Amino acid sequence: MRIIFEEHQYNLSDIGDNLKGLSELQDVEKKVSVGYVGYFYNPTVKDCVFILPKVLLSDCKGSDIVADVKYKDKDGVEHNIRPEDIINPEGQEKYLSAEYRKFIYEFAVWIYRALCVYRNLNPQSKAVYYRQLPQEGHGKRHQANTYLDIILSMMRFNNENQNYFMFTLKNLHSGQNKINWTKTISKSNAVIQEGNAVYLNPINKKRTINFDEELFVIFFSILNHLNEQYGFKAPINYQYELIKGKRFQTYINGFGKTKLRQIKYKYFADKALQMWDMCYAFFDATHKLAINTEQKEYLLAKSFEHVFEAMIEELLGDKDIPKGLKEQADGKRIDHLYTYEALTISNDQRDEIYYIGDSKYYKSGHRLGYESIYKQYTYARNVIQWNINLFLNNAPDDWNDEEKKDWEDDRMRYKNIRLRDDSKDSLTEGYNVIPNFFISAFVYPDHRYVANENIFNHKGKNTHIQYQFEDRLFDRDTLILSHYDVNFLYVIYLYARNKNGEKALWRQKTRELFRDKIRTVLQEKYDFYAMKGFGNPFAGEQVIREHFKELQGKLYRPYSDRNLYALALEKKEGLDSTKSDVYKLLENHFIISKVNLGDNPREELEKEVDKYQKQHPYIATPSRWLPEYHVERYLDRYFVVGMYHDKEHWDWITGKNDRGSLIYNVRLDKKRHGAQTKSRIRAMRPLFAIIYEEDKPEDYHVFKIHDFAEMSEERMRQAMYPTNHGGPNGDYFIFRFDEEVNIGRFNINALINFHRISDKESFVEGAPLYPTGKELMKYKQY
């Protein structure tokens, strides 16, 4: 086997005829390089040429060397191995250990399998060139000592000779169930029953040793091993007890050749000889196979970075990414994108965030270019804007019905994505942290495929940060970019086997590992705190509003409890963040606890707040000093918060009905979404109604409730209830109002959003909420 490395610059004198017939070589200063990865048979040198990926090379003082492989001279001094040293088998024998040569043979199979899977998953791709690989035959023989030659020959023989197997086995077993009466009568005892002789143990006509079947068992056992080890799909349709596990390993270790030599001279048919030849070659990689040396054969990937990207995407990315998210509107395209648990939330929450990845197929230890880093920041900005547009705007009017449906489907699909504090609850205006990372490849020095951890921080600069203002992690313009290496051999192994269960397991583990490693990067650069207000429940929010400029980008609300805040302060050498002006400002109004990302601080903070409250009880303003309709007068009373559809509905509420009175309706029919039970409403006896227009909770009216009533569907029609929204339908509970009143300004959108997140199972869009005055006060603005 001849070994060439992808994109290495070879001298013409070194490369010789090894690449003769392979097109698209690039001449650079009288040197040649090849931009392929894969395998081809070169009839000029009468041998197979395997082109290894450049990831197996590393840079040493400006020159390529074979990564993590050295040889010792006669004095015992270690030297690096150059790609030129091991082109030919003589150099491989001289410079490479037996272990590394074995690795190369097996790696050829994995590359072949990976390229086959890529071709099947991407039938339209032009990245892989294929022509039929070596065949066994009776022509001129040559040294075909690659593991790949042998395996492919066995696979092809199995596929093309199913009729031969069936015919041979049928003849072998014909007549075996017939009783040999001569031997049965002479060698076994009979039982006499009612005058008849009954033989309990008849002897069948069966040969004791069947050498044909031994060969078949060995052949199919090898195929079974290849299926399990490399993910091939060779059919085995015969019910033999195959050689497996430790027993098969003994065959690999030498017993296989011994066994085959014992039965070799039992075969005369051409097919049986071919089977024996291939089985022996499998156990002895230097055995000669008969192949046709005149045919040009290859399986080559041009621009292997596209194959590497496809492998990572298949193993890591989400499927069916919406229009405009991965293929972005400005022409840019993200390599890998998926949604997974957000970085700043506790692990028991369901909120997710976009993870943005870019594959970099480099030599070992290669540094990133500035252009790549800049593009990756642009991807993140585009994702942020796409998500904001999705939830702030409706589908464009000129879209067709199918496109508008896709828009609504995307809203449902990404409803757990929170990129910033709610747009209409602009208390912190904080943005979530979007994980953004590069993925390149590494190879273990011992060339192992499987390890407990297959992801590492990149050996070079691992983290890049871009920002507009210092110390503002929760800011749209602060973007953090990490760089990780994955075990290249394991990725090839997993992709080539193409087993969905294994891929799903790795996907989950890798996503979790990426999340944790990015959290580690953040915690190396920032101190994270969780905080909750104490004392006057409204003073903390007031502080945030009054000191918005100092706190912008430092605060965010990632937790389902909207009264909990995340605080991030950049670590600075020689400065304790608890001594900073920001921390001192906040500690006067909040209980602050240092946290690790992923922890849920709620229980701890609530204990600290309760402890503080007992020591420093909050004394509310005496009710006699409060305005008549101040909510603090009614902390234990219930409010109904409901919406109306449009102007016609509003007109009906405000008097355009058969009684000319102020009324508001809620559903009672259990079959309808968002329906209430009248017993529950009567038990709460709401005192005030906060009514807002659909999708505009910031614009609301407040009415004092006079009394309640029930109305049937027929009575609602008599009351002239609008029909443009499908009503009336079923029974209703009616609130009758007195006058409209002023209770101050409250962030009703934040109240709704809190229930939308915390009551995911029971929350219904547009259905009334029934907060107490105490809960409502948490959302007071002024």
Side-chain angles (χ1 to χ4, degrees):
M1 180 176 70
R2 310 300 171 99
I3 296 177
I4 305 295
F5 285 91
E6 175 196 17
E7 294 186 4
H8 176 69
Q9 302 292 314
Y10 290 93
N11 293 318
L12 284 170
S13 57
D14 291 326
I15 207 69
D17 290 332
N18 285 290
L19 295 176
K20 188 173 181 180
L22 189 65
S23 60
E24 299 189 39
L25 296 178
Q26 185 179 19
D27 292 326
V28 180
E29 298 177 355
K30 297 184 179 180
K31 294 188 175 184
V32 294
S33 67
V34 58
Y36 297 98
V37 168
Y39 169 94
F40 75 100
Y41 177 75
N42 187 335
T44 304
V45 297
K46 299 181 180 179
D47 203 354
C48 301
V49 180
F50 186 50
I51 305 173
L52 292 173
K54 62 184 177 183
V55 71
L56 297 181
L57 296 177
S58 62
D59 185 89
C60 180
K61 299 178 181 179
S63 299
D64 289 339
I65 61 172
V66 182
D68 301 312
V69 182
K70 296 180 183 293
Y71 80 97
K72 291 182 180 180
D73 61 20
K74 61 183 179 179
D75 298 322
V77 180
E78 285 191 336
H79 297 275
N80 293 320
I81 299 175
R82 301 177 307 143
E84 291 84 355
D85 297 333
I86 58 173
I87 294 175
N88 298 318
E90 297 79 11
Q92 296 162 27
E93 288 284 342
K94 178 179 180 181
Y95 293 108
L96 297 180
S97 66
E99 290 79 7
Y100 194 83
R101 292 199 301 274
K102 179 176 182 292
F103 156 68
I104 293 297
Y105 297 155
E106 293 183 349
F107 188 56
V109 180
W110 289 120
I111 287 290
Y112 168 78
R113 283 291 304 147
L115 295 183
C116 287
V117 171
Y118 178 84
R119 288 180 67 241
N120 291 335
L121 295 177
N122 304 275
Q124 304 302 319
S125 173
K126 306 289 186 183
V128 174
Y129 301 112
Y130 172 74
R131 180 181 270 188
Q132 187 178 15
L133 286 157
Q135 297 183 25
E136 65 286 350
H138 296 294
K140 189 176 178 181
R141 301 172 75 87
H142 87 295
Q143 187 76 10
N145 60 349
T146 68
Y147 200 33
L148 185 60
D149 282 335
I150 300 161
I151 289 174
L152 299 184
S153 295
M154 296 186 79
M155 293 292 172
R156 187 175 299 105
F157 185 89
N158 183 55
N159 289 335
E160 295 176 357
N161 290 278
Q162 291 294 309
N163 290 336
Y164 163 71
F165 296 143
M166 186 67 67
F167 176 78
T168 303
L169 293 175
K170 183 178 179 181
N171 287 338
L172 288 174
H173 290 272
S174 62
Q176 286 188 11
N177 289 324
K178 293 182 179 180
I179 297 174
N180 187 328
W181 286 109
T182 303
K183 288 185 177 181
T184 300
I185 294 170
S186 64
K187 293 186 177 183
S188 61
N189 296 323
V191 176
I192 305 301
Q193 186 175 8
E194 297 179 357
N196 297 317
V198 178
Y199 290 89
L200 300 179
N201 297 299
I203 298 173
N204 290 347
K205 292 180 179 179
K206 183 175 182 181
R207 282 170 283 184
T208 56
I209 298 176
N210 191 323
F211 294 105
D212 283 331
E213 286 195 291
E214 281 192 276
L215 179 60
F216 281 18
V217 169
I218 293 173
F219 180 79
F220 291 131
S221 295
I222 293 174
L223 292 183
N224 179 70
H225 169 76
L226 297 177
N227 286 348
E228 292 182 350
Q229 180 69 14
Y230 298 113
F232 285 101
K233 304 295 183 185
I236 303 174
N237 301 320
Y238 311 99
Q239 300 301 314
Y240 283 117
E241 184 178 344
L242 300 179
I243 306 164
K244 298 180 180 179
K246 292 182 180 179
R247 187 175 168 219
F248 188 81
Q249 191 61 43
T250 64
Y251 275 67
I252 291 178
N253 294 339
F255 184 69
K257 292 192 291 182
T258 301
K259 187 68 176 175
L260 286 166
R261 281 196 293 265
Q262 291 174 351
I263 62 176
K264 178 177 181 180
Y265 299 105
K266 303 296 180 181
Y267 307 112
F268 303 97
D270 289 345
K271 295 291 185 182
L273 289 172
Q274 283 180 292
M275 282 180 66
W276 188 97
D277 202 31
M278 287 183 291
C279 290
Y280 192 90
F282 176 82
F283 294 120
D284 180 4
T286 60
H287 186 69
K288 292 180 179 180
L289 277 178
I291 70 168
N292 183 347
T293 59
E294 302 303 320
Q295 184 177 348
K296 293 182 179 180
E297 303 136 351
Y298 51 80
L299 181 68
L300 295 168
K302 182 181 181 182
S303 303
F304 192 73
E305 62 267 21
H306 297 310
V307 180
F308 179 70
E309 177 189 326
M311 289 193 294
I312 298 296
E313 175 64 8
E314 173 68 18
L315 298 176
L316 189 64
D318 276 346
K319 311 297 184 199
D320 302 322
I321 303 297
K323 173 184 176 183
L325 185 52
K326 189 171 182 179
E327 303 285 349
Q328 298 182 335
D330 60 358
K332 294 181 174 59
R333 181 185 178 278
I334 299 175
D335 284 356
H336 316 294
L337 188 139
Y338 62 89
T339 60
Y340 193 62
E341 295 172 0
L343 303 175
T344 50
I345 63 165
S346 57
N347 290 340
D348 56 354
Q349 286 183 237
R350 297 182 183 177
D351 286 351
E352 296 182 336
I353 199 70
Y354 300 106
Y355 283 68
I356 303 169
D358 190 52
S359 296
K360 291 300 174 188
Y361 175 64
Y362 290 148
K363 295 178 184 176
S364 179
H366 192 282
R367 297 181 68 119
L368 290 169
Y370 176 76
E371 180 183 352
S372 297
I373 295 172
Y374 186 83
K375 283 197 299 187
Q376 202 66 14
Y377 290 134
T378 305
Y379 296 152
R381 290 191 181 91
N382 287 346
V383 167
I384 292 171
Q385 193 59 54
W386 183 90
N387 187 270
I388 291 173
N389 291 341
L390 180 67
F391 289 101
L392 282 190
N393 304 316
N394 293 320
D397 293 335
D398 58 347
W399 281 14
N400 59 40
D401 291 341
E402 184 176 351
E403 289 174 322
K404 290 179 180 179
K405 183 181 182 302
D406 289 342
W407 181 274
E408 293 303 323
D409 290 344
D410 292 343
R411 282 187 171 185
M412 288 300 297
R413 178 176 177 180
Y414 295 114
K415 64 182 180 180
N416 287 334
I417 299 290
R418 295 185 58 218
L419 290 188
R420 63 172 183 169
D421 273 350
D422 190 275
S423 59
K424 295 171 184 175
D425 178 15
S426 55
L427 183 60
T428 71
E429 293 191 6
Y431 277 80
N432 209 339
V433 181
I434 293 186
N436 202 347
F437 53 88
F438 289 108
I439 303 174
S440 52
F442 80 97
V443 176
Y444 280 106
D446 60 1
H447 306 105
R448 65 182 182 269
Y449 286 83
V450 181
N452 291 331
E453 185 173 287
N454 291 291
I455 299 172
F456 287 97
N457 291 345
H458 186 66
K459 292 179 181 178
K461 188 176 180 181
N462 175 248
T463 305
H464 308 266
I465 300 180
Q466 187 180 78
Y467 56 84
Q468 188 173 152
F469 296 99
E470 243 185 324
D471 198 10
R472 288 190 185 178
L473 175 63
F474 301 124
D475 185 272
R476 177 172 177 161
D477 292 318
T478 299
L479 299 170
I480 296 181
L481 180 56
S482 302
H483 190 174
Y484 301 104
D485 289 336
V486 295
N487 182 355
F488 180 73
L489 301 184
Y490 187 71
V491 168
I492 291 282
Y493 164 87
L494 197 61
Y495 185 80
R497 284 169 66 85
N498 198 27
K499 294 189 176 181
N500 291 331
E502 289 182 350
K503 290 191 291 186
L505 189 64
W506 188 82
R507 182 179 299 115
Q508 176 61 28
K509 181 179 178 181
T510 303
R511 289 182 177 188
E512 182 178 337
L513 198 56
F514 271 137
R515 182 203 63 194
D516 293 344
K517 284 187 174 292
I518 295 170
R519 279 177 169 171
T520 300
V521 168
L522 291 175
Q523 291 181 151
E524 287 173 352
K525 298 185 178 298
Y526 292 89
D527 287 322
F528 287 91
Y529 302 90
M531 61 186 207
K532 185 171 184 176
F534 60 77
N536 184 334
F538 321 113
E541 289 191 7
Q542 193 60 31
V543 168
I544 294 173
R545 297 184 194 285
E546 290 176 359
H547 296 272
F548 179 79
K549 186 174 181 180
E550 299 101 300
L551 300 176
Q552 187 177 16
K554 297 177 175 63
L555 293 180
Y556 180 63
R557 289 187 285 184
Y559 307 108
S560 56
D561 184 347
R562 303 294 281 167
N563 295 305
L564 290 185
Y565 298 82
L567 169 67
L569 297 176
E570 187 177 357
K571 291 181 179 179
K572 296 180 180 178
E573 189 175 350
L575 178 63
D576 181 355
S577 58
T578 62
K579 306 297 183 185
S580 67
D581 292 339
V582 168
Y583 192 96
K584 289 179 179 179
L585 168 67
L586 293 170
E587 69 178 347
N588 292 323
H589 303 277
F590 296 88
I591 296 292
I592 305 177
S593 176
K594 194 164 188 177
V595 294
N596 292 318
L597 294 177
D599 292 346
N600 189 341
R602 179 175 181 173
E603 187 174 337
E604 179 185 344
L605 285 177
E606 286 182 348
K607 286 180 180 178
E608 290 298 318
V609 170
D610 289 343
K611 180 179 176 181
Y612 181 91
Q613 301 288 59
K614 290 176 182 177
Q615 295 174 352
H616 308 85
Y618 169 62
I619 302 174
T621 305
S623 60
R624 64 180 182 276
W625 294 350
L626 294 173
E628 181 181 358
Y629 296 117
H630 198 289
V631 175
E632 278 197 67
R633 285 180 176 270
Y634 312 102
L635 292 179
D636 296 325
R637 297 298 302 271
Y638 285 92
F639 292 66
V640 57
V641 178
M643 67 90 174
Y644 61 91
H645 293 292
D646 50 25
K647 185 176 184 303
E648 188 176 359
H649 192 187
W650 172 250
D651 289 343
W652 183 82
I653 292 170
T654 55
K656 196 174 180 180
N657 51 63
D658 65 336
R659 293 295 181 90
S661 56
L662 300 174
I663 56 177
Y664 181 70
N665 62 299
V666 298
R667 299 171 182 175
L668 286 180
D669 190 343
K670 294 180 181 179
K671 298 178 182 179
R672 301 188 66 193
H673 231 31
Q676 308 293 318
T677 60
K678 58 185 175 182
S679 59
R680 178 172 180 261
I681 300 173
R682 288 186 181 278
M684 290 188 294
R685 296 188 62 81
L687 192 59
F688 293 93
I690 301 174
I691 312 298
Y692 63 90
E693 186 174 0
E694 187 173 12
D695 295 329
K696 297 179 181 178
E698 69 277 11
D699 298 326
Y700 59 81
H701 302 266
V702 182
F703 297 92
K704 192 170 185 302
I705 297 174
H706 178 73
D707 59 12
F708 321 95
E710 294 175 42
M711 278 193 182
S712 66
E713 181 178 334
E714 181 57 32
R715 179 67 185 86
M716 288 288 286
R717 295 185 190 280
Q718 293 175 11
M720 302 167 18
Y721 185 76
T723 60
N724 56 339
H725 289 280
N729 189 350
D731 295 337
Y732 291 84
F733 197 91
I734 301 297
F735 295 101
R736 286 200 286 248
F737 299 153
D738 286 334
E739 72 280 7
E740 184 171 356
V741 298
N742 181 12
I743 61 171
R745 292 302 301 170
F746 293 84
N747 194 330
I748 301 303
N749 190 68
L751 170 71
I752 296 170
N753 224 18
F754 171 74
H755 284 274
R756 181 182 288 123
I757 295 170
S758 60
D759 304 332
K760 289 182 179 178
E761 301 302 324
S762 58
F763 181 82
V764 177
E765 291 289 347
L769 300 174
Y770 295 90
T772 62
K774 189 180 294 183
E775 181 183 359
L776 197 59
M777 285 297 287
K778 296 177 182 179
Y779 302 94
K780 184 171 176 60
Q781 293 179 308
Y782 54 85

